[in-house]
Amino acid sequence: MSRRSFVTTTNDPIIGIDLGTTNSLVAYADEAGPHLIPNPDDSNDFLLPSVVAFHEAGNVLAIGREARSHAVERPLTTIHSVKRLIGRGAADLTQEARRLTYPLKSHSSEAGRDIIAVKIGDRRFTPQEISAMILVELRRWAELHFQRDVTRAVITVPAQFDDAQRQATRDAGAIAGLDVIRIINEPTAAALAYGLNRAEQATIAVYDFGGGTFDISILRLEDGVFEVLATNGDTHLGGDDLDHGLIGLFTREIADSLGVQIASPAIRQQLRTLAENVKMQLSDEDVANVEIALPPSLTRRGTGEVYPPVSPLGKGGGSEAVTCHEIYRRKITRGEFEDMARPWVDRTIEACGRAMKTAQLNPADIDQVVLVGGSTRIPYVRQRVSEVFQRRPYTALVPEHVVALGAGVQASILAGVKRDVLLLDVTPLSLGIETMGGAVGKLILANTKVPCRASEMFTTFKDGQTSIKINVLQGERELAADCRSLGVFELRGIPPMPAGIPKLEVTFLIDQNGILNVSAKELRSGMEASVQIVPTHGLTREEVCKMQAEALAHAREDMSAHHLIDVRTTLEFDLNKAERMIHQFGRLLEPRELRRLLQQVNELRDLAKISNNAEELNRRREEFDRAVLPLAEMAMSETLKEEATKM
Amino acid sequence: MRMSPAPENSARRCPQCDAQLNNWIACDSCESLFDVDRPVTHFELFDLPQGFGIDHELLSRAYRKLARRVHPDRFADGSERDRELATRLSARLNEAFQTLRDPVRRADYLLTQLGGPTAAECREVPGSLLAEVMEIREKIEEAKSKGDSSSFEALHEAITARRDSTIHGIEALCAKLDGAPGETGRELRKLLNSMKYFDNLLSDLAGDPLSKSTVSVAP
Ligand SMILES: [Zn+2]
């Protein structure tokens, strides 16, 4: 990939970000097309593992590849798969929480709110804040690439993400100091990336099986317009599930054959890595070897929960560890893996059928099937997709790259660089309000084109009532309890009137990002009512602002830490240089002057060890440089004289 | 069916650049957006004659053309007003397109244009419908208990045929609509209301794993 400078000269560049469950990428597009932005430390590396590792105290240790390498040794403080948590509450995550190696805590104890956080040391981090750290790193890549500030971004989300998950993603952007000008759906982005070189007219199915989510979208491409006809999928279904299928198998077999229950996060993390490797190996080969050494502290005690099992300082260390390790070993065939994967893959295939039904299309009407996401590398997945659409999938682009490239294309559309293409998307879920008896009154149906709008009339029950509360829901089920509550919207400022007289028109608008906006108007008085939202699973505007400020403050701390290191390094360099000069040319100085300089060198060395004040160190260094100046001049003329005599 | 002539757009000019306007919501020349200044019908929006019979190709083309003009993505760098207006106009455009594209919603919309009421506002259905639906539902139960895939297919075909004939009936009644809907309108509403019953029967049938297997090919 060649490094190009951004072509729009006046405006800041807009970047496209694929904020993935497993990896995140950043891209942009110019007239030549979309390009991925590489890791500044390795120009062949485009994937930033979506992992943040923390010190026990709660400060960030590493982000990305390095963070991932800490996963086994620091399972409790290495945070991965945060996309599975974003915009969700504890009630949604009972299943997910069991799989994570790190613990989840409730973030807000307010009534009606269910927000989770990861607890590290004394600090709690919401999934939004952790996602923001990943975004900051990608932003850094982009800023180094463009050599200028980057403040605007397009971020992709799974098509099946609900309003809370979309808002939370946008909030993560805000915390990272990015103006998220557009949230786009991942399968739609993929179609954009592919569509660039495609024929003028085509019906495309995008099968997007990523680490944590599954989407199927069917699009019609005509006159440069990408029109989403239908979308379906599952935010609880991804390649992670296949990994956990394997982990479950290994765990059961270890329990059966060795009588050990695995409870340690470190061993679970090892099994996770093993499962990922087995899955990848079986994509290329028919058989994979599974082998894991269980530490003696685990097996020696026989059955029962053992924790912590891996402790390098523990009693089982040294040579004993080598002799007492129990090995769990087996071969697994592709056939066995496919049998295990079948139920999950079945679910994706059923969703494909539903999407075709919504679009009123048959497999024969689909011109192209595009594969997106790492899980589509699995041969069995490809085989099933080929069967359901009765055609071989198209895989010209790297499945892990295609969403980011599409986000880059959308960024260039918004920047006005690319004007011949337009995206028309749909809302994945029905929107409704809770009615009497806990039922749902649907206002906007799933697969409606966005932006879309619906209005509903409300009135008061009591004389003089000035506010009304509405529970807004998203989902396909008939009962409010089975749908996702987006939050309670309180309409305030209704002019006091007898019960039933106010005519309150509430407008629900889902914008092009799939995000809900609510406004209300009392029709008799013409007064706008204010809408207060208590987001069930999201952050308030104030919370986002506070987190943004905190993130900025931490960035400044980090920056001053960097600054201090720089000042110390420069000081050290100057002191060493001065010492060499003293050694070589000190004889030219007055003895008193010489002593003074040597004393200063020692003083400054000591100060550099104890002082954390970068300003002071810098000031003292400048003073010292001035004091050394006469010696430096003498040294210079002496050197010239020596040179002259040599000639 | 009385065909209203397409609205006279040619007389209208853009207040911004004075170019001739080709539609009601945006200027093709300077890309300005306009709040629709009078109640424009869904048909007028797409420059199509009002009526049940519709050229779907023309509708789709007109929709894409207008969407290109008013979609908020075109105004990402625009003023607050433009972005708000683009969102509102796009919502209106999407509503109009989805209404006209679907035969049931289109017929219902025609009813409201002629003074209503809509089908949903009066819940009447054809007299024979409920007995017919009961009978089909019994057959579905029977097929389910037997697990007989051939009778599933037969039922699917039968219900789809009834649904199609109802759409033909709707089309015929729409062609007779003229002025106030009256008795024709009443018959039309009955047919429109019966569509939901057929759709429910079809999804009942599809809810069974046997009929689903026609979609998800077994490995
Ligand atoms: Zn104009």
Side-chain angles (χ1 to χ4, degrees):
Chain A
M1 177 140 320
S2 66
R3 286 192 158 225
R4 282 164 213 276
S5 61
F6 203 67
V7 282
T8 48
T9 46
T10 47
N11 291 328
D12 280 347
I14 306 176
I15 51 173
I17 292 175
D18 172 6
L19 185 59
T21 309
T22 317
N23 292 301
S24 297
L25 301 91
V26 56
Y28 71 100
D30 54 23
E31 279 93 344
H35 315 279
L36 294 172
I37 296 175
N39 182 338
D41 301 327
D42 178 358
S43 60
N44 291 316
D45 187 10
F46 302 103
L47 301 183
L48 175 71
S50 306
V51 183
V52 179
F54 290 88
H55 288 288
E56 274 67 22
N59 42 338
V60 175
L61 171 66
I63 296 171
R65 211 164 287 282
E66 196 202 325
R68 199 175 56 184
S69 70
H70 291 289
V72 171
E73 116 226 11
R74 300 168 177 269
L76 296 170
T77 56
T78 302
I79 311 305
H80 58 85
S81 301
V82 75
K83 192 176 185 175
R84 285 196 162 223
L85 314 179
I86 202 160
R88 307 182 138 256
D92 305 316
L93 293 168
T94 45
Q95 219 191 334
E96 250 97 350
R98 262 185 279 135
R99 293 175 171 184
L100 301 170
T101 54
Y102 51 88
L104 295 179
K105 292 272 181 280
S106 179
H107 179 70
S108 170
S109 53
E110 260 175 85
R113 294 186 71 187
D114 181 9
I115 300 165
I116 43 121
V118 179
K119 187 167 182 284
I120 291 159
D122 296 332
R123 298 183 62 185
R124 282 169 198 228
F125 296 96
T126 58
Q128 286 88 325
E129 288 169 288
I130 293 178
S131 298
M133 293 169 187
I134 295 162
L135 292 172
V136 165
E137 178 64 7
L138 291 174
R139 182 182 173 190
R140 188 177 75 86
W141 289 17
E143 288 184 337
L144 284 171
H145 180 81
F146 294 125
Q147 292 295 315
R148 60 196 288 188
D149 285 351
V150 171
T151 55
R152 296 189 295 169
V154 172
I155 302 182
T156 63
V157 296
Q160 291 298 309
F161 256 25
D162 64 24
D163 177 79
Q165 292 167 303
R166 285 166 196 266
Q167 298 254 26
T169 303
R170 199 167 59 175
D171 291 344
I175 296 167
L178 287 169
D179 180 9
V180 181
I181 55 173
R182 187 83 150 79
I183 295 278
I184 65 167
N185 294 325
E186 284 159 11
T188 321
L192 267 185
Y194 266 105
L196 296 174
N197 309 313
R198 310 293 323 142
E200 279 296 287
Q201 288 186 15
T203 303
I204 309 167
V206 182
Y207 178 97
D208 181 355
F209 198 10
T213 54
F214 170 71
D215 285 322
I216 170 76
S217 288
I218 298 176
L219 297 97
R220 177 79 188 154
L221 167 57
E222 203 163 342
D223 307 330
V225 174
F226 286 75
E227 186 185 341
V228 179
L229 303 178
T231 190
N232 209 299
D234 195 331
T235 48
H236 284 279
L237 178 60
D240 282 5
D241 290 295
L242 306 184
D243 297 345
H244 283 279
L246 286 171
I247 294 168
L249 176 73
F250 302 155
T251 310
R252 279 194 304 279
E253 289 186 350
I254 289 170
D256 289 348
S257 62
L258 304 174
V260 176
Q261 302 290 327
I262 302 222
S264 130
I267 300 272
R268 267 163 61 198
Q269 181 55 45
Q270 272 183 23
L271 286 173
R272 219 174 83 102
T273 311
L274 183 70
E276 282 167 17
N277 291 339
V278 164
K279 191 176 70 178
M280 270 192 278
Q281 206 182 335
L282 288 175
S283 291
D284 300 324
E285 288 154 40
D286 290 329
V287 185
N289 287 308
V290 178
E291 191 173 311
I292 186 164
L294 298 163
S297 56
L298 242 188
T299 47
R300 203 168 38 201
R301 289 225 221 148
T303 54
E305 298 210 340
V306 183
Y307 178 84
V310 197
S311 126
L313 304 169
K315 24 189 167 37
S319 59
E320 202 191 349
V322 180
T323 52
C324 288
H325 265 108
E326 285 260 13
I327 310 272
Y328 164 68
R329 189 184 280 129
R330 73 150 18 234
K331 280 187 194 307
I332 184 163
T333 65
R334 193 183 273 187
E336 281 176 281
F337 175 67
E338 291 180 357
D339 281 341
M340 194 212 75
R342 179 166 295 123
W344 285 294
V345 180
D346 279 349
R347 274 164 65 190
T348 70
I349 299 297
E350 282 161 20
C352 293
R354 288 195 297 272
M356 279 194 277
K357 196 172 163 226
T358 306
Q360 298 180 359
L361 294 173
N362 293 311
D365 302 320
I366 311 282
D367 300 311
Q368 201 69 259
V369 180
V370 169
L371 297 183
V372 185
S375 304
T376 61
R377 289 186 181 277
I378 299 169
Y380 178 59
V381 170
R382 293 196 175 191
Q383 175 208 329
R384 295 289 302 278
V385 176
S386 310
E387 282 165 3
V388 70
F389 291 108
Q390 296 161 24
R391 66 176 51 248
R392 188 186 289 274
Y394 185 71
T395 50
L397 296 175
V398 181
E400 288 89 348
H401 291 177
V402 59
V403 167
L405 291 170
V409 173
Q410 178 66 19
S412 71
I413 293 172
L414 295 170
V417 174
K418 186 162 187 62
R419 297 191 54 87
D420 54 338
V421 169
L422 180 70
L423 203 67
L424 301 175
D425 220 317
V426 299
T427 177
L429 302 164
S430 297
L431 183 90
I433 47 174
E434 183 171 349
T435 58
M436 301 283 253
V440 181
K442 296 232 168 97
L443 299 174
I444 293 171
L445 296 179
N447 286 300
T448 297
K449 291 181 187 301
V450 289
C452 61
R453 209 158 56 139
S455 291
E456 185 76 5
M457 298 300 294
F458 292 86
T459 191
T460 51
F461 290 100
K462 286 185 204 154
D463 291 345
Q465 186 179 338
T466 56
S467 73
I468 294 176
K469 281 183 182 175
I470 307 168
N471 185 15
V472 182
L473 305 150
Q474 231 174 1
E476 308 316 306
R477 305 282 294 276
E478 302 295 325
L479 292 178
D482 297 327
C483 289
R484 291 262 299 156
S485 169
L486 298 184
V488 174
F489 291 67
E490 188 175 2
L491 316 174
R492 292 184 189 164
I494 304 168
M497 285 185 238
I501 296 298
K503 285 175 73 177
L504 211 65
E505 186 187 52
V506 181
T507 301
F508 300 85
L509 185 138
I510 298 178
D511 68 14
Q512 67 273 25
N513 304 303
I515 290 178
L516 176 67
N517 303 265
V518 177
S519 59
K521 196 173 187 180
E522 202 289 306
L523 296 182
R524 288 185 199 279
S525 63
M527 274 172 70
E528 294 274 335
S530 77
V531 183
Q532 300 279 326
I533 311 160
V534 179
T536 311
H537 301 287
L539 302 171
T540 61
R541 196 175 289 267
E542 292 73 34
E543 285 168 329
V544 171
C545 286
K546 194 168 149 250
M547 288 174 181
Q548 193 179 356
E550 277 171 8
L552 210 62
H554 282 297
R556 251 190 236 112
E557 266 170 39
D558 289 350
M559 203 139 59
S560 59
H562 274 295
H563 185 50
L564 185 64
I565 291 168
D566 283 350
V567 170
R568 278 205 183 112
T569 313
T570 317
L571 177 61
E572 185 67 27
F573 180 82
D574 288 5
L575 290 174
N576 288 344
K577 199 171 112 193
E579 256 182 347
R580 278 199 307 274
M581 278 194 297
I582 292 168
H583 187 71
Q584 212 176 341
F585 303 105
R587 60 190 153 83
L588 301 171
L589 288 174
E590 293 278 323
R592 207 160 52 110
E593 193 63 13
L594 181 64
R595 263 205 312 279
R596 215 165 58 85
L597 271 185
L598 282 169
Q599 196 184 340
Q600 270 187 318
V601 169
N602 288 334
E603 261 177 38
L604 279 178
R605 276 244 157 75
D606 291 343
L607 185 70
K609 277 183 203 127
I610 54 164
S611 171
N612 284 328
N613 188 338
E615 305 279 299
E616 188 199 0
L617 284 177
N618 208 32
R619 190 172 47 75
R620 293 290 300 271
R621 181 184 61 80
E622 284 169 7
E623 269 174 29
F624 176 73
D625 285 353
R626 278 195 295 276
V628 176
L629 205 60
L631 176 64
E633 278 165 1
M634 278 185 246
M636 178 69 82
S637 56
E638 196 70 5
T639 312
L640 287 175
K641 258 189 259 171
E642 280 171 19
E643 294 286 316
T645 51
K646 271 186 214 156
M647 284 171 92
Chain B
M1 174 83 225
R2 188 194 52 178
M3 295 280 192
S4 356
E8 279 300 316
N9 274 329
S10 53
R12 299 170 61 246
R13 297 202 157 267
C14 172
Q16 298 295 322
C17 73
D18 203 41
Q20 182 188 305
L21 292 178
N22 305 313
N23 64 70
W24 293 93
I25 51 182
C27 172
D28 287 337
S29 168
C30 72
E31 306 193 343
S32 299
L33 297 179
F34 310 116
D35 240 331
V36 183
D37 54 358
R38 72 168 181 86
V40 171
T41 71
H42 292 347
F43 293 101
E44 285 172 331
L45 195 58
F46 296 112
D47 203 11
L48 292 169
Q50 178 163 312
F52 186 81
I54 208 164
D55 184 331
H56 284 271
E57 190 51 47
L58 275 183
L59 172 66
S60 291
R61 207 175 303 151
Y63 168 66
R64 286 194 298 268
K65 205 171 158 194
L66 286 174
R68 271 181 173 288
R69 286 271 166 262
V70 302
H71 195 278
D73 284 357
R74 285 272 170 267
F75 300 88
D77 270 330
S79 66
E80 179 83 40
R81 178 207 168 259
D82 275 353
R83 279 182 289 153
E84 188 269 329
L85 189 53
T87 306
R88 200 144 43 83
L89 289 174
S90 291
R92 169 71 212 279
L93 186 67
N94 287 334
E95 160 79 18
F97 175 61
Q98 287 168 121
T99 301
L100 294 192
R101 195 180 45 171
D102 179 71
V104 173
R105 290 180 68 180
R106 185 164 70 239
D108 215 24
Y109 180 71
L110 277 173
L111 277 173
T112 61
Q113 286 307 108
L114 298 173
T118 64
E121 282 165 339
C122 106
R123 299 200 176 147
E124 243 184 316
V125 292
S128 57
L129 182 76
L130 294 182
E132 188 188 353
V133 167
M134 293 255 278
E135 196 184 321
I136 299 173
R137 192 146 278 154
E138 269 167 33
K139 283 183 185 161
I140 293 178
E141 289 306 317
E142 206 179 291
K144 273 184 188 172
S145 63
K146 281 188 191 158
D148 172 11
S149 69
S150 67
S151 60
F152 267 98
E153 274 160 36
L155 275 167
H156 187 271
E157 232 166 77
I159 303 166
T160 310
R162 275 294 283 125
R163 197 180 175 281
D164 289 348
S165 74
T166 307
I167 292 180
H168 286 305
I170 289 169
E171 191 176 357
L173 287 172
C174 283
K176 282 205 279 177
L177 276 180
D178 194 1
E183 193 53 31
T184 312
R186 190 176 163 209
E187 291 305 310
L188 180 55
R189 282 189 286 273
K190 285 183 189 173
L191 288 189
L192 289 171
N193 283 330
S194 64
M195 287 295 285
K196 193 178 244 176
Y197 288 84
F198 296 125
D199 287 340
N200 284 345
L201 286 173
L202 283 173
S203 62
D204 248 25
L205 202 61
D208 189 275
L210 252 181
S211 75
K212 233 187 239 168
S213 70
T214 57
V215 175
S216 59
V217 181

